[in-house]
Amino acid sequence: MSDKNKPNISPEHLKYLRKVKRKKQIIFVTQIAILVLFFAFWELAAKVGLIDPFISSQPSRIIKTILDLYRNGELFNHVIVTCMETALGFLFGTLIGILIAVILWWSEFLEKVLEPYLVVLNSLPKIALGPIFIVWIGAGPMAIVVIAMTISIVVTILEVLNGFLGVDNDKIKLVKTFGASKIQILTKVVLPSSLPVMVNALKVSVGLSWVGVIVGEFLVSKAGLGYLIVYGGQVFQLDLVMASVIILAAAAFLMYRMVAWFERLVVKRK
């Protein structure tokens, strides 16, 4: 529907909408221009000798490497392995984190008891636990998923719990005066009011899940983008390393955009 056919919209509002749309277009074009200029400068600098293409690679060599992976039938296998591990780690970490946050909100006693432990776990470099999980679970994809889940779960618990505790107390008192049970307070007041916080926790967990998976693949993996990065570094194939990093960045961006789309969906429904 064109702007002219939209009902009940004043000319001033139409002008404002066009201005907002134009601003978004300018931002998008600028982002694309920066990306294109960066790769163009990278390619040119490698060709004229400002940088060593063996050390830093260059876009044309990266594209060739990606095409070679595709022709060999390896590209999608590695991408799918990493994406599946990340999705599982993200899903489990988010769901379990929100569930634990609900339990801690429900029981003030448990929240007070476990708060210092959560703070310590959040400060602990959880990557150091990777070798322990590998020994406990075994050198396989499940260990990588657990590492990703462990890195994201504590942050999710703290973020969501702070959102629960930050809900307007007057709203809770109001529904209590109408005889609402604790489960009704949770489902009718706390969870709806905390949706923005939970979505923000999802955004944080996306990045942490990718970190956990790549670290896990560094430690133990025979497939995946992390495996390609380690392998490329070991055999001094820097083109393979940079190609894997570029693919990883694109996959992480797409997953983040999916979370952003979910955020718009939730906010719109709310």
Side-chain angles (χ1 to χ4, degrees), residues 22-77:
R22 192 180 307 114
K23 184 177 180 180
K24 289 182 178 179
Q25 291 173 340
I26 292 173
I27 291 173
F28 177 75
V29 170
T30 304
Q31 290 172 335
I32 298 299
I34 291 173
L35 195 63
V36 171
L37 288 173
F38 170 76
F39 283 109
F41 176 78
W42 185 4
E43 179 72 20
L44 182 62
K47 284 188 175 181
V48 300
L50 289 178
I51 59 176
D52 187 347
F54 177 77
I55 300 298
S56 61
S57 188
Q58 64 189 104
S60 59
R61 295 173 63 161
I62 291 173
I63 293 173
K64 181 180 180 300
T65 302
I66 293 174
L67 291 176
D68 289 341
L69 287 172
Y70 174 74
R71 294 190 191 101
N72 295 335
E74 299 178 20
L75 178 61
F76 291 116
N77 176 49

Side-chain angles (χ1 to χ4, degrees), residues 1-22 25:
M1 183 182 292
S2 64
D3 292 340
K4 294 181 179 179
N5 296 328
K6 291 180 180 178
N8 303 323
I9 296 181
S10 64
E12 291 78 10
H13 192 194
L14 281 174
K15 184 178 179 181
Y16 170 76
L17 291 177
R18 293 192 189 101
K19 185 178 179 181
V20 171
K21 184 177 180 181
R22 192 180 307 114
Q25 291 173 340

